[in-house]
Amino acid sequence: MHSSFSDQLAGLDLSGFSIGPAPVSTNDFPLHDAVVQTLEAVWSDLFAMVAGTALEADAEDLGWAFVNIFHRSATRKSTAVDRATDEVRALVATADGSEIHTHELETQVERAQCAEGAMIALEEMREVAAALYLNEFGSSWKPVSSSRFNHSAMLTSALVEGREFVRARSEAKRRAAMPEGTPVIFAGGRTRHPNEQDALTFANNVWATLDKVHDRVPDMVLVHGGDTKGVDRLASSWAERRNIPQISFSLDMRLGARAGFKRNERMLSLDPRYVVAFPGSGVLERLVIEAKSRRITVVDRRGPLGTSPKRAARDTD
């Protein structure tokens, strides 16, 4: 119908006339319960289909791609919102008070609101799928080369006036990129364990340590390096299970040998309450030294299997 209607309008001499989407509300998108039930059913059927086949070894890759479908769609909508917001900003700057200009501004704001509503709905679907991924594989879902923003807590509806929309959009982006709360840095390297029992003990120590820190910092924001193969993965999974916001600082490989030290600087610039340190490289050692020089409390767990070195020394004595 939309295509047919557009074709009919195209044949008319309606100079300057355009069709834009109507304003939307949260009621215009799939309900949360419907999203959960549908995605759970699809997920269950997908992995039941590959179970016991040669594709079972690729199950985690399939699960990651499933979540990424919604992530990419949300990212495209976010880009559309950015473009619409730029157009709103330009219209506000050139406001002349005319009826035509006012109508164009209102239309552009409505378009931006529609795109933003769709972005939030798609992010919700991604988060439901990411929770399924976490339950299935025991690790937090992370995009390859972009952030996993979540704007669902942002108040973005019922914005009519152009300047208000631009300000709200800017604030929403800032809050999504930098969650409110107290930063706590988590750092550690890739470790190998001789058996599954040691690996389980180490993982339990990571989670127990983070639980204790969270008890002291209820509004904690976990800051880590985002390594999907190291101890960061354990910390990220803990944060997702506990519904703790995260900020990951990946290495800028263009900096070569300085990349790790530059990441330390960026994380410490957040003025964290604690630095939680598990066994790692010399770059991690520098992070601990620098944190102590700034009088930041270091929770040192660089002893055997993620325990306190002081406790390990006492036990040895």
Side-chain angles (χ1 to χ4, degrees):
M1 287 183 61
H2 175 75
S3 177
S4 176
F5 185 48
S6 298
D7 291 341
Q8 293 178 44
L9 286 176
L12 302 176
D13 184 16
L14 298 175
S15 177
F17 186 86
S18 62
I19 304 174
V24 296
S25 69
T26 54
N27 295 328
D28 295 305
F29 297 102
L31 297 176
H32 178 75
D33 288 346
V35 170
V36 172
Q37 292 173 9
T38 301
L39 294 189
E40 283 182 347
V42 173
W43 185 275
S44 176
D45 289 347
L46 174 64
F47 289 101
M49 177 184 68
V50 301
T53 72
L55 290 178
E56 189 169 9
D58 300 308
E60 186 167 355
D61 287 342
L62 291 174
W64 185 93
F66 182 82
V67 184
N68 198 49
I69 291 172
F70 302 104
H71 176 71
R72 290 186 63 185
S73 296
T75 300
R76 285 195 292 270
K77 284 297 180 182
S78 179
T79 301
V81 176
D82 288 339
R83 286 199 301 267
T85 304
D86 288 340
E87 292 178 13
V88 170
R89 185 177 288 107
L91 287 169
V92 169
T94 58
D96 57 12
S98 68
E99 184 176 346
I100 293 177
H101 188 281
T102 300
H103 174 72
E104 188 175 358
L105 176 59
E106 290 175 350
T107 300
Q108 200 58 247
V109 168
E110 288 177 358
R111 288 176 177 171
Q113 289 175 323
C114 290
E116 193 160 38
M119 175 192 69
I120 291 172
L122 288 165
E123 284 183 344
E124 179 185 10
M125 294 179 185
R126 180 201 61 201
E127 291 306 305
V128 171
L132 293 170
Y133 180 91
L134 176 65
N135 289 333
E136 185 78 28
F137 303 109
S139 60
S140 179
W141 185 88
K142 183 179 182 295
V144 171
S145 59
S146 60
S147 298
R148 181 177 159 185
F149 291 152
N150 188 357
H151 298 80
S152 62
M154 305 299 106
L155 180 61
T156 54
S157 61
L159 302 175
V160 178
E161 202 275 319
R163 291 181 179 83
E164 292 294 326
F165 180 85
V166 170
R167 282 198 294 267
R169 174 61 182 161
S170 177
E171 177 67 9
K173 289 188 70 175
R174 185 195 68 78
R175 290 178 60 190
M178 180 59 194
E180 293 184 359
T182 303
V184 171
I185 294 176
F186 179 92
R190 299 183 181 183
T191 58
R192 292 186 178 182
H193 304 284
N195 53 64
E196 290 186 4
Q197 184 58 48
D198 282 358
L200 179 60
T201 299
F202 180 80
N204 287 338
N205 285 337
V206 170
W207 279 46
T209 299
L210 289 171
D211 279 335
K212 290 179 181 178
V213 173
H214 185 221
D215 289 341
R216 292 178 174 268
V217 188
D219 65 340
M220 172 180 175
V221 175
L222 186 68
V223 181
H224 57 81
D227 185 0
T228 58
K229 295 182 180 180
V231 69
D232 287 346
R233 181 172 182 170
L234 290 172
S236 183
S237 298
W238 170 87
E240 190 152 344
R241 291 285 189 188
R242 301 290 192 266
N243 199 27
I244 305 297
Q246 306 175 54
I247 304 174
S248 65
F249 286 88
S250 58
L251 290 172
D252 185 349
M253 304 311 296
R254 295 171 299 178
L255 298 177
R258 297 186 296 112
F261 299 103
K262 185 63 177 179
R263 178 169 64 185
N264 287 352
E265 293 177 13
R266 293 169 63 198
M267 292 195 296
L268 288 172
S269 70
L270 300 179
D271 295 325
R273 173 78 175 276
Y274 292 102
V275 169
V276 181
F278 278 79
S281 64
V283 175
L284 184 142
E285 300 297 323
R286 288 302 313 172
L287 174 65
V288 170
I289 293 171
E290 182 63 24
K292 290 181 177 179
S293 71
R294 300 187 186 197
R295 299 185 181 279
I296 299 170
T297 302
V298 175
V299 180
D300 195 344
R301 293 294 182 268
R302 290 175 292 170
L305 299 180
T307 57
S308 169
K310 294 182 179 179
R311 180 179 302 173
R314 289 198 300 268
D315 292 343
T316 302
D317 294 340

